[in-house]
Amino acid sequence: MTKDELLKLYNMDLDELLELSSKYVSENVEFCSIVNARNGKCSQNCKYCAQSSHYRTDIETYPLIETEKVIKAAQEAKSNHADRFAVVTSGKTPAEEDFDKVVDLIKAVNDVEGIKSCASIGILDDEMAKALSEAGLKRFHHNINTCRSYYSSVCTTHTYEDRINTCKLVKKYGMELCCGVILGMGETIEQRVEMAMELAEIQPESIPINILMPIPQTPFENYHDKIDEENILRTLAIFKIANPKSVLRFCGGRMRLSDENQKKALKTCVEGILIGNYLTTVGKNPEDDIKTINELGKKLK
């Protein structure tokens, strides 16, 4: 669909828009989970991020965690009905001294029965992407975060093209791609539609939807009112319509939606949930998510 067509849909009656997007939604809901395997001290200046070394957010920082902790977290994720588990590290790109250790962590996750491995470890080069694929990594997560036209307003230490290149490498080496956005960072409605269209070009298997949770001491600390619940729902519907074969996934910041609107989204456009807590923000108890899925008559995949 063209940008004008999607904008017209974006501005139609909300109930009619959600009814339209619901035509592309299955009755299944997927659970995934993550482990924050290295935290803080990131060299990049992403204006939303608590882990950037450019801002004094006073978060806890720590190096790569032990394999035993990753295995335990993966097993706990499985007990909460997640079938995918991601190793997540801070930083622009994997540090050379850590990369082999990350590969070992991915292999350890693969050894947990019933769990598919995922990783979110930054910008890749060809050699890294190949090594991850050979290690058996099933899916790689790398967000575009926002559209091309707004990217320099969010980060200047790397480019939108850097992220797209990593997405292309993931697909080149046969891994699935998880690629999404953060809503509410000051983008316009038109730019939200641009995000939907740019993701349609990338064709990720999974599209994680994050909603900005403003972090004190970051440049976006006062961005509490850049998007409201109605516009979040409108954006989700447009993303689903533009990407009918991709699984839209609730991730960080979904707690900015009321329980009623979270249910409405799960009924009409969202088919996945990152359960538990997130990297630097609080999530939801998996038992509550299971209860919601049952109430909606959905099936846990």
Side-chain angles (χ1 to χ4, degrees), residues 66 113 133 136 194-195 219 230:
E66 298 86 2
E113 185 179 355
S133 178
E194 288 173 21
M195 291 181 217
E230 179 181 331

Side-chain angles (χ1 to χ4, degrees), residues 214-228:
I215 304 294
Q217 305 303 317
T218 64
F220 288 169
E221 66 178 340
N222 295 316
Y223 277 35
H224 296 276
D225 59 351
K226 298 301 181 181
I227 192 168
D228 58 20

Side-chain angles (χ1 to χ4, degrees), residues 27-50:
E27 62 181 4
N28 298 317
V29 177
E30 300 178 0
F31 278 3
C32 65
S33 188
I34 63 173
V35 63
N36 194 0
R38 184 181 64 216
N39 199 51
K41 295 185 178 180
C42 180
S43 64
Q44 303 306 284
N45 67 353
C46 304
K47 294 180 181 179
Y48 56 84
C49 189

